[in-house]
């Protein structure tokens, strides 16, 4: 099969299109014929060798944490799936990913793919959708009527976070640049703060219950977010190389989020997509052979948004 892999850590140039052996599913596994994966920032960080401690991948390694495709074969003991079934999933960080024609997945981590959007576009949902959901509700405990600040709302995780928070009845304050402000409002933000025009902490004039930080801000800016949270509130941070700020005197907690596989939660997100309650935005679709260029553009900060990598 064809797979994009890196045999050593380094820049985007270490990625190469290989002929790799077809994997065979073991007990509890499904082999998925990949329709698409997507690019996530963690793919570039792992490829560069910056996560060898927390994410010790074996080389050569195939990137791609998201998978959308069809079940191709089943290992012993797998129930609830059928060969040919369209599925989506979020793959473990240390496992070989879905930038390949075939990938092995623990069967109990897969969800049936949405039917209302193209299968390739469904690859844009798992990792970022689960990140948003877990940040807001599993860690942030967000409830209807509460106020949440989503810093970095114009990114892929931010788009889902704004939609999910608004649907839950929260008052959403979102940071976005001038070019994405209208899109963020359309996703459900009640207020939009232009982070290019001044200090976010100054622009937010009333306390919030939850701050969700999705952007690689200056450490001083991140620290200032604790001051925006009401007593007993929380700052959930996805840029885990900078610890989430706390304020023990006021009971403000800081949580660093590491997204986890959750098939039931993914199935719930899929259901929202099919009910028209959650929009999946795809900025660009590229071929598997173009994945090194995607990594290079990500490193240069020139990606237009969520990029789906089509296989085949």
């Amino acid at each position: 099969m064809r797979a994009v892999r890196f045999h050593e850590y380094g820049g985007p140039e270490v990625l190469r299109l290989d002929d790799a052996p077809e994997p065979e599913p073991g007990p509890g596994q499904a082999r998925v014929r990949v329709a698409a994966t997507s690019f996530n920032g963690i793919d570039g960080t792992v490829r560069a060798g910056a996560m060898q401690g927390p994410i010790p991948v074996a080389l050569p390694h195939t990137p791609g944490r998201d998978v959308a495709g069809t079940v191709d074969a089943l290992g012993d003991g797998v129930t609830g799936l059928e060969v040919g079934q369209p599925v989506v999933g979020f793959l473990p960080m240390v496992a070989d990913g879905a930038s390949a024609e075939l990938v092995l997945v623990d069967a109990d981590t897969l969800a049936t793919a949405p039917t209302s959007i193209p299968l390739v576009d469904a690859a844009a949902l798992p990792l970022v959708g689960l990140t948003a959901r877990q940040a807001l509700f599993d860690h942030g405990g967000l409830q209807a009527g509460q106020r949440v600040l989503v810093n970095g709302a114009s990114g892929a995780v931010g788009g889902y976070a704004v939609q999910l928070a608004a649907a839950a009845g929260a008052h959403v304050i979102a940071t976005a640049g001038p070019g994405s402000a209208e899109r963020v409002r359309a996703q459900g933000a009640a207020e939009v703060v232009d982070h290019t025009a001044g200090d976010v902490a100054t622009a937010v004039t009333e306390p919030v219950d939850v701050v969700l930080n999705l952007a690689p801000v200056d450490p001083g800016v991140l620290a200032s977010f604790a001051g925006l949270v009401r007593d007993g509130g929380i700052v959930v941070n996805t840029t885990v190389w900078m610890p989430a700020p706390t304020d023990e005197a006021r009971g403000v907690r800081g949580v660093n989020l590491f997204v986890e596989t959750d098939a039931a939660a993914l199935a719930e997100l899929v259901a929202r997509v099919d009910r028209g309650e959650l929009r999946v935005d795809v900025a660009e679709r590229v071929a598997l052979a173009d994945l090194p260029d995607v990594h290079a553009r990500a490193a240069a900060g020139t990606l237009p948004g969520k990029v789906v990598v089509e296989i085949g």
Side-chain angles (χ1 to χ4, degrees), residues 40-228:
N40 293 288
I42 191 64
D43 294 323
T45 307
V46 170
R47 182 218 68 238
M51 298 291 283
Q52 294 182 54
I55 307 177
V57 302
L59 300 178
H61 179 72
T62 304
R65 299 303 97 205
D66 294 307
V67 62
T70 54
V71 175
D72 180 75
L74 297 170
D76 291 342
V78 175
T79 60
L81 292 176
E82 297 180 355
V83 171
Q85 180 177 346
V87 291
V88 290
F90 165 48
L91 306 179
M93 293 291 181
V94 297
D96 271 333
S99 300
E101 292 178 321
L102 296 165
V103 66
L104 296 182
V105 186
D106 287 341
D108 60 3
T109 67
L110 292 169
T112 299
T115 58
S116 59
I117 61 174
L119 182 57
V120 294
D121 287 0
L125 176 65
L127 187 152
V128 288
L130 286 172
T131 300
R133 186 187 184 280
Q134 291 172 16
L136 290 171
F137 305 113
D138 296 353
H139 295 283
L142 187 68
Q143 299 177 14
Q146 290 188 325
R147 293 166 53 85
V148 56
L149 170 65
V150 180
N151 187 56
S154 60
V157 177
Y160 290 116
V162 170
Q163 292 183 75
L164 291 170
H171 180 94
V172 182
I173 306 165
T175 70
S180 54
E182 287 307 313
R183 172 167 54 85
V184 171
R185 285 192 182 93
Q187 290 169 334
E191 302 177 44
V192 178
V193 174
D194 183 357
H195 64 84
T196 69
D199 180 51
V200 172
T202 301
V204 179
T205 57
E206 296 182 35
V208 299
D209 299 278
V210 179
V211 171
L212 174 51
N213 180 59
L214 307 170
V217 296
D218 180 87
V221 173
L222 180 61
S224 72
F225 290 158
L228 301 178

